[in-house]
């Protein structure tokens, strides 16, 4: 299934991780500074980061050689929890992106609590996924 | 009088001395090996380039370093294929009865060099019996003796059916066996190995084994009834204490370069969760700070709005 015989998820995952981390930083800076110009930067980083997520997910299943490991998942191993955390990050950042887009479409103010809250939850999920990935890559 | 007594003692003790000098076939045992990233190691010798066992031995592999995809133990020629093995899992092979040198590899990581050599050699005598004259070495094979009265066998040749042996209880394995596995039923150990008569490189030096016409025909080597199983075959769980020994990192590997230390505990990767708790502090701190600044601005704007409303 993987013609390269090398992991393809690992080189790809840096793109959404970096972009969504910068998205979270932009959200924080926007609310600390109060400057609305950070909204546009947030949107630019987040749209590319969210669009890179499906590619990352597909490459992950290329590395695992399909979905067989999901039929009898090992809950005592980090892989399944890495996947859950990555999925949570995808949901939070995807939700954040869509919510921001809808709010801007009707020209409403962005409630800071929801804006920062969704981005921070996504960031925490991203951090969890990264740490669990480190456990797999560097072998406990 | 004294000389007659000495002669009597001599007559009695001489056969005993001869029996002591008789080479006894080596006992089958369960040998231990370790699996890491990306190596196999013979626990007895620490050798990662090859694992050498005697014919009839079993091999228990213990996964000392985990990774995804998980390690496996595979020897195609012996039809040994383990399932995925996570950290702390063990896999015990059936008795290795086929002589030769085989490729032992990890299926998911073969292309990363997770390959070594498994050599199954003929059982060697365990006493200080006189060693036979060294055989002329062939480039393709290395004949070795299997004991008194048994012909040499050649690496790579298929073993003949094991000769029936007296009902000697199988010995306890010399190396520790995972305690989680129940005490196995032992059966007599087949030691004899007769070379393939079709093999042109066999140099027959010793007499062929004495064939007892009254003995029942020897069963085929793969007969499960006669297979000696000291340790249950398949996947098991390693003793946690045995896992406490941190394996030496592969020279030049990432582990060796960064000096990474192994996590401890029943589920070592929960270390990631502890790190997450630590790393969540600055993330939540930054989020809280930004919300407090936003709330401060909001409160500052409220009086201005109130004034503007009053002005209207």
């Amino acid at each position: 299934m993987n013609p390269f015989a090398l992991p393809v998820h690992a080189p790809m995952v840096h793109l959404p991780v970096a972009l969504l981390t910068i998205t979270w930083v932009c959200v924080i800076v926007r609310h600390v500074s109060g400057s609305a110009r950070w909204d546009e930067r947030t949107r630019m980083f987040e749209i590319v980061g969210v669009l890179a997520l499906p590619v990352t997910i597909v490459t992950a299943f290329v590395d695992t050689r399909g979905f067989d490991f999901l039929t009898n998942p090992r809950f005592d191993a980090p892989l399944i929890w890495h996947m859950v955390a990555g999925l949570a990050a995808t949901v939070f950042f995807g939700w954040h992106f869509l919510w921001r887009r809808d709010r801007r479409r009707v020209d409403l103010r962005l409630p800071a609590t929801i804006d920062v809250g969704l981005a921070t939850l996504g960031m925490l999920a991203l951090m969890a996924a990264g740490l669990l990935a480190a456990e797999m890559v560097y072998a406990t | 009088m004294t000389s007659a007594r000495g002669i009597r003692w001599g007559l009695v003790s001489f056969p005993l001395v001869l029996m002591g000098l008789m080479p006894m076939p080596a006992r089958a045992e369960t040998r231990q090996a370790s699996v890491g990233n990306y190596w196999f190691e013979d626990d007895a010798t620490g050798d990662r380039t090859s694992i050498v066992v005697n014919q009839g031995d079993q091999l228990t592999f213990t996964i000392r370093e985990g990774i995804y995809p998980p390690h496996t133990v595979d020897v195609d020629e012996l039809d040994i294929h383990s399932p995925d093995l996570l950290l702390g899992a063990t896999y015990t092979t059936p008795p290795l009865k086929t002589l030769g040198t085989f490729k032992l590899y990890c299926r998911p990581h073969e292309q990363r060099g997770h390959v070594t050599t498994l050599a199954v050699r003929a059982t060697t005598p365990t006493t200080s019996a006189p060693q036979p004259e060294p055989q002329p070495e062939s480039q393709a094979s290395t004949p070795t003796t299997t004991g008194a009265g048994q012909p040499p066998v050649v690496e790579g040749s298929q073993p003949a059916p094991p000769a029936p042996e007296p009902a000697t209880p199988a010995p306890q394995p010399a190396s520790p066996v995972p305690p989680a596995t129940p005490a196995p039923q032992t059966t007599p150990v087949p030691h004899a190995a007769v070379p393939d008569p079709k093999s042109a490189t066999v140099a027959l030096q010793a007499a062929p084994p004495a064939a007892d016409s009254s003995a029942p025909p020897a069963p085929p080597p793969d007969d499960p009834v006669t297979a000696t199983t000291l340790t249950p075959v398949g996947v098991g769980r390693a003793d946690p204490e045995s896992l406490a020994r941190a394996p030496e990192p592969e020279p030049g590997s990432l582990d060796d370069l960064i000096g990474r230390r192994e996590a401890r505990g029943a589920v070592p990767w929960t270390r990631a969760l502890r790190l997450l708790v630590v790393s969540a502090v600055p993330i939540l701190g930054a989020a809280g700070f930004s919300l407090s600044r936003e709330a401060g601005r909001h409160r500052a704007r409220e009086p201005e709005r109130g004034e503007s409303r009053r002005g209207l």
Side-chain angles (χ1 to χ4, degrees), chain B residues 42-80:
Chain B
D42 188 337
D43 283 2
T45 62
D47 189 2
R48 293 184 178 178
T49 59
S50 67
I51 296 176
V52 181
V53 299
N54 290 326
Q55 188 184 28
D57 286 351
Q58 287 180 268
L59 253 176
T60 295
F61 294 90
T62 302
I63 310 298
R64 299 193 181 278
E65 289 180 337
I67 197 166
Y68 194 87
H71 294 303
T72 63
V73 173
D74 292 88
V75 185
D76 290 341
E77 295 93 332
L78 303 180
D79 199 23
I80 292 173

Side-chain angles (χ1 to χ4, degrees), chain B residues 24-273:
Chain B
M24 298 295 290
R27 301 290 178 87
E29 58 183 284
T30 303
R31 292 173 176 263
Q32 302 293 318
S34 296
V35 182
N37 302 327
Y38 300 90
W39 44 266
F40 294 94
E41 180 180 290
D42 188 337
D43 283 2
T45 62
D47 189 2
R48 293 184 178 178
T49 59
S50 67
I51 296 176
V52 181
V53 299
N54 290 326
Q55 188 184 28
D57 286 351
Q58 287 180 268
L59 253 176
T60 295
F61 294 90
T62 302
I63 310 298
R64 299 193 181 278
E65 289 180 337
I67 197 166
Y68 194 87
H71 294 303
T72 63
V73 173
D74 292 88
V75 185
D76 290 341
E77 295 93 332
L78 303 180
D79 199 23
I80 292 173
H81 300 287
S82 80
D84 290 348
L85 302 168
L86 297 178
L87 179 67
T90 64
Y91 179 74
T92 303
T93 68
L96 303 170
K97 295 182 290 185
T98 304
L99 298 176
T101 303
F102 312 103
K103 184 176 86 169
L104 167 64
Y105 67 98
C106 167
R107 196 165 53 249
H109 307 127
E110 182 185 5
Q111 291 173 327
R112 299 186 69 167
H114 199 171
V115 181
T116 192
T117 300
L118 171 65
V120 182
R121 64 188 180 190
T123 52
T124 51
T126 56
T127 64
S128 57
Q131 296 296 314
E133 290 295 320
Q135 306 300 320
E137 287 192 4
S138 164
Q139 190 175 0
S141 61
T142 307
T144 54
T145 57
T146 58
Q150 293 178 358
V153 292
V154 180
E155 287 188 358
S157 64
Q158 297 294 319
E165 208 176 73
T168 307
Q172 292 297 319
S175 47
V177 177
T181 54
Q185 296 292 325
T186 57
T187 51
V189 182
H191 295 300
V194 181
D196 185 355
K198 288 180 286 189
S199 173
T201 56
V202 174
L204 290 175
Q205 296 291 326
D212 186 359
S213 57
S214 63
D222 291 330
D223 188 347
V225 176
T226 58
T228 303
T229 305
L230 299 172
T231 307
V233 175
V235 179
R237 194 76 194 161
D239 180 7
E241 289 183 6
S242 71
L243 293 174
R245 179 177 67 85
E248 288 295 319
E250 188 78 349
S253 66
L254 183 63
D255 287 355
D256 187 33
L257 294 173
I258 65 177
R260 185 179 61 83
R261 287 182 298 179
E262 293 295 314
R264 295 283 175 263
V267 187
W269 55 268
T270 52
R271 171 176 58 184
L273 301 182

Side-chain angles (χ1 to χ4, degrees), chain A residues 9-92:
Chain A
H9 173 73
M12 282 300 302
V13 76
H14 296 89
L15 185 63
V17 166
L19 291 169
L20 295 176
T21 302
I22 296 172
T23 299
W24 176 78
V25 171
C26 289
V27 169
I28 297 297
V29 173
R30 186 253 178 271
H31 289 286
V32 169
S33 66
S35 171
R37 65 183 176 184
W38 288 95
D39 285 337
E40 184 60 19
R41 295 169 189 173
T42 302
R43 194 177 72 86
M44 293 305 294
F45 283 119
E46 194 165 35
I47 191 170
V48 182
V50 168
L51 287 177
L53 284 170
V55 180
T56 307
I57 293 169
V58 168
T59 55
F61 286 113
V62 170
D63 284 353
T64 56
R65 301 174 181 83
F67 303 93
D68 288 348
F69 73 100
L70 289 175
T71 55
N72 187 20
R74 293 291 302 261
F75 293 104
D76 58 343
L79 171 68
I80 194 73
W81 299 113
H82 167 76
M83 216 184 85
V84 168
L87 195 63
T90 302
V91 168
F92 285 130

Side-chain angles (χ1 to χ4, degrees), chain B residues 272-311:
Chain B
L273 301 182
R274 294 194 295 271
L275 286 172
L276 175 63
V277 172
V278 173
S279 57
V281 172
I283 293 174
L284 292 174
F289 178 67
S290 69
L291 287 177
S292 67
R293 287 293 298 266
E294 190 69 46
R297 273 194 301 278
H298 186 69
R299 279 194 299 270
R301 281 196 295 268
E302 283 299 319
E304 295 172 6
R305 287 178 186 170
E307 287 173 4
S308 62
R309 286 194 193 105
R310 280 195 294 273

